[in-house]
């Protein structure tokens, strides 16, 4: 085995080793490191990753090819040298991932720019993966593409005939550092290998979704078919060649980006569909509805796989954890539930301490914690691990003076960001519930908020027609 590069994924921690077998075949071996902590000894982990990669390469090398003969033995000394180089680079890579997890928990954000380019209230905001652009949707029927470095509006996307409610970029699968291993002089050199988000999807109350070029602002295609407000739209996570949409007409749909044709109509729900989310590999689609249920659809067979029943009121949101093994649902019945994908007949855990409607749910990047927020003016963080039916609450965030409608973790999970109808957003310490900072200045309800992928910037969007960008 000859390793060439190591790719890192910061949040949640992960890496991939690009190597060449003795037969000359190039392979990429992925490792999810969801249990990596910021202080543990990484040498045993580096050793285990290296051994697994070598074993996989040797297994392929020993598999007879078309000639029926296995590869000849290789010189041991060369293998040892390459393995030592790879082990050293693996340690460097894991140490870098650990440093990323040591996010300063008392970091303060300062107002960088207040964008007042919209003439009506904002609905949602989103960053691209690099953090160099962000999107804003609005009741004024437009979406604005903003350069976060210059704080200038790059494009105003016009064409929708009603409120632009859902906005999002196609997010690349990897955002990484590349360690070069095939040249001794460059072995310790880190090169940023950034994959840009080059497309935008918008969903509107006019019943359509549109895909745009992020660089030019040109509309690439429009998707028709829904007969009521479209409230969610997102790209396929692997190839971005399709989008999934959710609508108040009671259906979710999947469209082909290249042809604009409708590929699937998912019509089992008995009421409005408010969420449509692909799992990690894009083979399953999760939908949530006002009919009190969530549903899992097999995109490959175009069929309903399972319906999650247990809530007694409308769902407010539903999400996958990163690995796709768990689903969280929030409901207006004052509860959130966690479901195990392997056993969907009943919820695995129940979060039932809110005294009013649960308005949003969010997993942290590694899927260890769940955050919920509610009309009771609080947010809460729950431990996902454990076998008890009732989720164990880790912390309570109390301090907002009105309902909390949006919640999201910082990339490393140390901080929690909340948006509230009391005109503020707040930052909290996830483990203790202590308020670290109040992001004040909006003159109306804060509808939406978002962290950048690297965690160094925050967006807040408000009913006061403005978006505030914090660094």
């Amino acid at each position: 085995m000859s390793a060439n590069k190591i790719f890192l994924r910061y949040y949640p921690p992960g890496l991939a080793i690009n190597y060449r077998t003795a037969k000359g075949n190039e392979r990429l071996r992925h490792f999810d490191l969801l249990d990596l902590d910021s202080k543990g000894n990484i040498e045993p982990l580096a050793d285990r990753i290296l051994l697994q990669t070598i074993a996989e390469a040797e297994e392929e090398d020993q598999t007879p090819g078309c000639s029926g003969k296995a590869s000849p033995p290789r010189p041991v000394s060369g293998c040892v040298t390459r393995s030592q180089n790879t082990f050293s680079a693996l340690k460097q890579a894991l140490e870098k991932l650990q440093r990323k997890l040591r996010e300063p928990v008392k970091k303060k954000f300062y107002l960088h720019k207040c964008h007042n380019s919209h003439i009506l209230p904002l609905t949602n905001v989103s960053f691209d993966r690099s953090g160099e652009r962000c999107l804003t949707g609005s009741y004024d029927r437009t979406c604005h593409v903003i350069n976060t470095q210059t704080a200038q509006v790059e494009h105003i996307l016009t064409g929708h005939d009603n409120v632009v409610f859902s906005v999002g970029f196609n997010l690349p699968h990897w955002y990484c550092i590349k360690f070069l291993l095939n040249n001794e002089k460059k072995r310790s050199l880190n090169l940023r290998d950034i994959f840009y988000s080059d497309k935008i999807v918008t969903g509107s109350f006019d019943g359509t979704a549109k895909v745009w070029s992020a660089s030019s602002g040109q509309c690439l295609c429009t998707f028709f078919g829904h007969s009521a407000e479209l409230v969610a739209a997102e790209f396929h996570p692997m190839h971005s060649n399709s989008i999934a949409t959710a609508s108040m007409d009671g259906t979710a749909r999947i469209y082909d980006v290249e042809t604009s044709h409708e590929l699937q109509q998912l019509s089992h729900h008995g009421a409005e569909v408010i969420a449509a989310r692909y799992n990690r590999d894009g083979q399953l689609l999760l939908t949530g509805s006002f009919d009190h249920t969530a549903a899992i659809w097999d995109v490959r067979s175009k069929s309903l796989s399972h319906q999650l029943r247990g809530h007694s009121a409308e769902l407010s949101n539903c999400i996958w954890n990163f690995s796709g093994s768990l689903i969280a649902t929030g409901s207006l019945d004052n509860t959130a539930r966690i479901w195990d994908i392997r056993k969907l007949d009943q919820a695995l855990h129940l979060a039932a301490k809110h005294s009013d409607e649960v308005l949003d749910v969010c997993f942290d990047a590694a899927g260890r914690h769940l955050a919920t927020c509610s009309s009771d003016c609080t947010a809460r963080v729950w431990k996902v691990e454990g076998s008890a039916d009732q989720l164990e609450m880790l912390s309570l965030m109390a301090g907002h003076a009105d309902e909390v409608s949006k919640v999201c973790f910082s990339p490393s999970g140390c901080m929690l960001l909340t948006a509230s109808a009391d005109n503020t957003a707040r930052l909290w310490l996830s483990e203790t519930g202590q308020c670290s900072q109040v992001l004040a200045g909006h003159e109306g309800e804060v509808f939406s908020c978002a962290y950048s992928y690297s965690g160094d910037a925050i967006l807040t969007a408000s009913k006061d027609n403005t978006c505030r960008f914090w660094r």
Side-chain angles (χ1 to χ4, degrees), residues 321-335:
N321 69 343
F322 175 79
S323 66
S325 60
L326 299 176
I327 291 169
T329 54
S331 170
L332 305 189
D333 65 7
N334 303 0
T335 71

Side-chain angles (χ1 to χ4, degrees), residues 238-250:
M238 298 299 290
H239 53 63
S240 302
N241 290 335
S242 62
I243 65 164
T245 60
S247 170
M248 304 300 276
D249 65 8

Side-chain angles (χ1 to χ4, degrees), residues 294-407:
I296 302 172
W297 308 81
D298 190 317
V299 175
R300 297 158 297 181
S301 64
K302 303 182 179 182
S303 62
L304 176 67
S305 294
H306 207 93
Q307 197 157 15
L308 310 182
R309 302 178 184 275
H311 286 291
S312 58
E314 296 93 328
L315 265 63
S316 56
N317 200 1
C318 58
I319 53 171
W320 300 92
N321 69 343
F322 175 79
S323 66
S325 60
L326 299 176
I327 291 169
T329 54
S331 170
L332 305 189
D333 65 7
N334 303 0
T335 71
R337 295 171 186 259
I338 291 181
W339 313 75
D340 189 325
I341 194 72
R342 298 164 299 181
K343 186 181 179 182
L344 294 169
D345 293 335
Q346 61 182 12
L348 178 66
H349 301 298
L350 174 68
K353 291 188 177 181
H354 283 292
S355 60
D356 208 335
E357 298 168 344
V358 174
L359 301 179
D360 195 22
V361 291
C362 178
F363 281 111
D364 68 356
R368 296 178 186 173
H369 297 127
L370 178 75
T372 58
C373 63
S374 169
S375 296
D376 66 9
C377 308
T378 71
R380 299 168 191 256
V381 174
W382 313 80
K383 293 182 180 179
V384 172
E385 297 89 352
S387 57
D389 292 338
Q390 295 284 337
L391 279 174
E392 179 184 350
M393 190 176 75
L394 178 65
S395 55
L396 167 66
M397 287 71 176
H400 281 295
D402 208 332
E403 69 177 25
V404 184
S405 58
K406 185 76 173 179
V407 63

Side-chain angles (χ1 to χ4, degrees), residues 122-144:
L122 276 73
T123 56
N124 272 299
V125 291
S126 175
F127 279 103
D128 73 354
R129 183 68 92 199
S130 70
E132 295 181 358
R133 289 190 178 107
C134 64
L135 300 174
T136 58
S138 170
Y139 279 83
D140 67 12
R141 307 182 180 188
T142 70
C143 170
H144 292 188

Side-chain angles (χ1 to χ4, degrees), residues 139-207:
Y139 279 83
D140 67 12
R141 307 182 180 188
T142 70
C143 170
H144 292 188
V145 184
I146 301 171
N147 186 304
T148 59
Q149 303 300 319
T150 64
Q152 299 298 313
V153 176
E154 291 187 350
H155 307 291
I156 298 178
L157 310 183
T158 60
H160 282 296
D161 296 327
N162 209 324
V163 175
V164 176
F165 190 77
S166 175
V167 296
F169 287 94
N170 62 321
L171 300 179
H173 197 54
W174 287 93
Y175 178 94
C176 56
I177 296 294
K178 183 166 62 179
F179 287 80
L180 301 185
L181 302 173
N182 56 351
N183 185 316
E184 184 65 24
K185 292 182 180 180
K186 295 182 179 180
R187 185 168 58 82
S188 62
L189 179 65
N190 301 341
L191 298 179
R192 292 180 69 86
D193 192 2
I194 302 175
F195 295 84
Y196 291 97
S197 305
D198 63 344
K199 293 185 181 68
I200 292 165
V201 63
T202 56
S204 170
F205 284 2
D206 65 11

